[in-house]
């Protein structure tokens, strides 16, 4: 069994704060500061440029990728880390289109994260080969997969409501139709048990600053199924994806396997923070994380529905159909969230009207959820949210 008291002690949590926003930005793990100091002082400071070899900086993307692989159910050697999630979405969809040249449809759903859709729009406009991006309602995805679809590109857990796609059935349906799948795991890596290898997932991408707690702007990851990776001609043939970067050849020659999906120079400081953050996951069973997340979220839903009837559950009722977050709809949801934050309960808001709460058992317990519910009930009963100070929109919501 996972020792959640141990994992809670691994975080530097501000006193007096209930943090229910780890689905957007994880808190600071204690080991990150010392890891950064080691990298800055002992490696960059003392070794200077020799640290690329002596400190193993160049090997970071593969080494850290293998640590993430365990959390997404991927075999070793098929995950690499670097760049941003948007870049990884672009790479994965471009690769899938290359592998299905006669098909012209990228299928997604209307609840997908907007940036993923922006990236696909930009990609198909750039290559200008007659592709189209087709979006359907989330529950209509399976029925929309046919022989015209080159790639099904979906976010596994909906960022607004927490609704979860059935990865196994959609992946199988896509393969039966001859299509490939790209799964965005931004809201599921570190929150749900995943098995991309066993399910035959073609491509998976994700960020590391949410449930993996690697810090703001932390690098993204990409997984490519082994039988596909050596057939790819990367759409972004970066220097670090070359088979021999320091040969400085005038032409691009891709590295073996998923290493060809590297693009830019590894962000060494961010990689050091990510690697240290992953230490928290040693000895953690994601099945335990999932069970505890469900218990906490069910408790919050029961209390909020009993004590705050003006809020409407916007997430799926069944725990099996949602990820590690719960959303409630309220017309003045932004102001309510600002009032909560002002009282030490931090969640976030997503337009147009959603209060969003994330459940991360690595550092959250029942007492935290009860305190959050107490504060929310007080805010709603007193109409504290109606104050002008809480109505003013900040840049980040």
């Amino acid at each position: 069994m996972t020792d959640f008291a141990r994992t809670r002690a691994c975080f530097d949590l501000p006193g007096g704060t209930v943090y229910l926003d780890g689905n957007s930005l994880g808190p600071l793990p204690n080991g990150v500061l010392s890891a950064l100091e080691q990298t800055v002082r002992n490696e960059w400071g003392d070794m200077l440029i020799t640290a690329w070899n002596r400190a193993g900086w160049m090997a970071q993307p593969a080494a850290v990728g293998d640590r993430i692989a365990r959390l997404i159910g991927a075999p070793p050697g098929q995950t690499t880390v670097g760049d941003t999630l948007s870049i990884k979405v672009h790479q994965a969809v471009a690769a899938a289109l290359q592998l299905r040249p006669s098909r012209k449809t990228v299928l997604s759903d209307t609840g997908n994260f907007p940036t993923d859709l922006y990236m696909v729009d930009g990609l198909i406009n750039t290559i200008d080969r007659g592709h189209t991006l087709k979006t359907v309602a989330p529950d209509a995805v399976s029925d929309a997969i046919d022989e015209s679809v080159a790639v099904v590109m979906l976010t596994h857990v909906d960022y607004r409501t927490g609704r979860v796609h059935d990865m196994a059935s959609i992946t199988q349906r896509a393969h039966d139709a001859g299509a490939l799948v790209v799964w965005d795991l931004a809201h599921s890596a570190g929150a749900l048990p995943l098995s991309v290898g066993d399910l035959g997932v073609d491509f998976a991408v994700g960020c590391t600053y949410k449930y993996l707690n690697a810090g703001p702007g932390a690098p993204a990851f990409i997984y490519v199924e082994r039988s596909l990776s050596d057939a790819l001609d990367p759409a972004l043939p970066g220097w670090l994806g070359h088979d021999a970067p320091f040969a400085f050849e005038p032409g691009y020659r891709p590295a073996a396997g998923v290493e060809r999906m590297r693009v830019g120079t590894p962000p060494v400081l961010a990689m050091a923070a990510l690697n240290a953050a992953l230490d928290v996951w040693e000895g953690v069973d994601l099945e335990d994380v999932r069970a505890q997340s469900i218990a906490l979220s069910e408790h919050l839903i029961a209390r909020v529905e009993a004590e705050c009837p003006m809020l409407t559950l916007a997430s799926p009722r069944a725990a099996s159909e949602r990820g590690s977050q719960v959303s409630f709809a309220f017309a003045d949801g932004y102001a309510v969230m600002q009032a909560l934050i002002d009282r030490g309960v931090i969640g976030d808001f997503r337009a147009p009207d959603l209060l969003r709460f994330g459940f991360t058992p690595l550092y959250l317990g029942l007492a935290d959820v009860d305190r959050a519910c107490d504060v929310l009930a007080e805010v709603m009963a007193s109409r504290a949210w109606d104050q002008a100070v809480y109505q003013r929109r900040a840049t980040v919501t």
Side-chain angles (χ1 to χ4, degrees), residues 76-378:
Q78 294 176 233
T79 306
T80 191
V81 178
D83 312 301
T84 67
L85 179 52
S86 293
I87 295 297
K88 295 309 177 195
V89 168
H90 184 285
Q91 286 185 287
V93 175
L97 293 179
Q98 284 181 0
L99 294 171
R100 295 293 184 270
S102 65
R103 297 181 177 217
K104 301 300 181 183
T105 301
V106 178
L107 177 66
S108 191
D109 73 69
T110 53
N112 206 346
F113 193 66
T115 300
D116 289 10
L117 302 179
Y118 303 160
M119 294 305 294
V120 174
D121 263 334
L123 171 64
I124 62 180
N125 289 337
T126 298
I127 62 178
D128 194 20
R129 295 177 185 167
H131 294 91
T132 59
L133 171 61
K134 178 180 179 180
T135 57
V136 298
D139 59 2
V141 169
S142 286
D143 289 341
I145 302 173
D146 59 26
E147 288 70 22
S148 71
V149 174
V151 54
V152 180
M153 188 270 296
L154 296 169
T155 298
H156 184 218
V157 175
D158 187 294
Y159 76 102
R160 291 187 182 94
T161 66
R163 174 197 44 76
V164 180
H165 276 299
D166 187 332
M167 183 182 290
S169 67
I170 290 176
T171 299
Q172 186 61 56
R173 176 75 186 91
H175 289 171
D176 288 346
L180 298 170
V181 291
V182 174
W183 287 103
D184 181 340
L185 306 180
H187 287 271
S188 42
L192 305 174
L194 298 167
S195 52
V196 298
D198 289 343
L199 295 181
V201 167
D202 303 300
F203 300 89
V205 297
C207 58
T208 62
Y209 49 79
K210 300 181 189 297
Y211 296 102
L212 300 186
N213 310 301
F221 65 85
I222 184 168
Y223 160 85
V224 184
E225 199 278 323
R226 191 178 301 278
S227 68
L228 301 178
S229 56
D230 281 330
L232 302 180
D233 183 14
L236 297 174
W239 179 42
L240 271 298
H242 193 283
D243 188 52
F246 287 88
F248 298 107
E249 298 171 4
Y252 180 76
R253 180 164 51 87
V258 75
E259 288 295 292
R260 68 185 57 193
M261 303 304 272
R262 292 175 61 170
V263 183
T265 303
V268 171
L269 300 183
M271 286 283 198
L274 169 55
N275 195 47
L278 292 173
D279 289 344
V280 178
W281 290 94
E282 296 300 320
V284 173
D285 186 332
L286 276 161
E287 295 288 351
D288 295 339
V289 171
R290 177 62 169 160
Q292 184 71 352
S293 168
I294 289 173
L296 295 175
S297 60
E298 290 286 277
H299 185 71
L300 179 131
I301 289 171
R303 283 204 56 187
V304 170
E305 291 194 321
E307 300 171 39
C308 307
M310 60 287 289
L311 302 182
T312 302
L313 181 66
S315 298
R317 173 76 54 186
S320 61
E321 297 175 9
R322 63 176 186 266
S324 201
Q325 67 183 66
V326 171
S327 297
F328 289 91
F330 185 67
D332 285 290
Y334 177 81
V336 170
M337 185 54 68
Q338 301 318 297
L340 289 176
I341 292 171
D342 199 30
R343 289 159 175 76
V345 175
I346 300 179
D348 65 17
F349 170 81
R350 289 295 176 262
D353 60 357
L354 295 181
L355 294 151
R356 196 172 67 154
F357 303 99
F359 296 89
T360 44
L362 294 187
Y363 52 84
L364 280 176
L366 189 61
D368 300 304
V369 174
D370 273 330
R371 179 170 172 236
C373 291
D374 291 343
V375 173
L376 178 58
E378 182 273 322

